[in-house]
Amino acid sequence: MHITKPNSSMSANSIAIQNMAFNPTTLTVPVGTTVTWKNLDNVTHHVVSDTGAFESSDLTNGQTFNFTFNKAGNYPYHCSIHPSMTGTIVVTSTGSGTSNQSTQNSSNKSNKSTSSNTSGKVKNITG
Ligand SMILES: [Cu+2]
């Protein structure tokens, strides 16, 4: 478990749970971003990933839930208490100029199977 650093400045990577909806519904963040959900409703909400990538506890009014996305991809989620509440976190890989091209040269087909036939003679020495 990571201990999230206290961030005094309010980041844009937060989702308000308000009026029985996630706001914004879709949030796009670079990989490594910690996303914060905050329940502004007077009812309890429970954020859970569709794929099981993350899950909050029951969030009552004013409570928050943090999750750090360390892998790029789409993370659809919903509220387990109110299944009609859905949202998606889109995590983009940080393209820092370096395009990662992996060129594989697998044209090496020199597979000689050398079967050496050694007939072992067992000498039976008696005496
Ligand atoms: Cu809910």
Side-chain angles (χ1 to χ4, degrees):
M1 287 296 260
H2 278 273
I3 297 169
T4 44
K5 291 175 193 169
N7 219 343
S8 53
S9 59
M10 186 71 180
S11 68
N13 308 315
S14 56
I15 295 164
I17 310 173
Q18 196 169 19
N19 298 323
M20 306 292 288
F22 297 107
N23 186 26
T25 309
T26 302
L27 181 68
T28 304
V29 296
V31 71
T33 301
T34 300
V35 174
T36 303
W37 285 261
K38 185 168 187 177
N39 184 9
L40 301 175
D41 276 345
N42 287 318
V43 295
T44 301
H45 294 297
H46 191 116
V47 177
V48 58
S49 159
D50 290 5
T51 59
F54 55 88
E55 183 179 357
S56 75
S57 54
D58 281 354
L59 302 174
T60 56
N61 179 267
Q63 284 195 307
T64 58
F65 165 63
N66 296 322
F67 186 78
T68 303
F69 293 88
N70 290 317
K71 215 175 156 187
N74 286 357
Y75 295 84
Y77 65 94
H78 60 279
C79 174
S80 65
I81 301 169
H82 314 101
S84 62
M85 296 172 60
T86 59
T88 306
I89 308 294
V90 179
V91 180
T92 58
S93 55
T94 47
S96 54
T98 44
S99 57
N100 211 355
Q101 271 191 351
S102 60
T103 33
Q104 270 193 333
N105 254 338
S106 56
S107 57
N108 209 356
K109 264 193 179 176
S110 56
N111 205 358
K112 274 187 185 174
S113 61
T114 40
S115 56
S116 53
N117 221 347
T118 39
S119 54
K121 280 183 182 174
V122 182
K123 281 184 182 175
N124 213 354
I125 304 171
T126 42

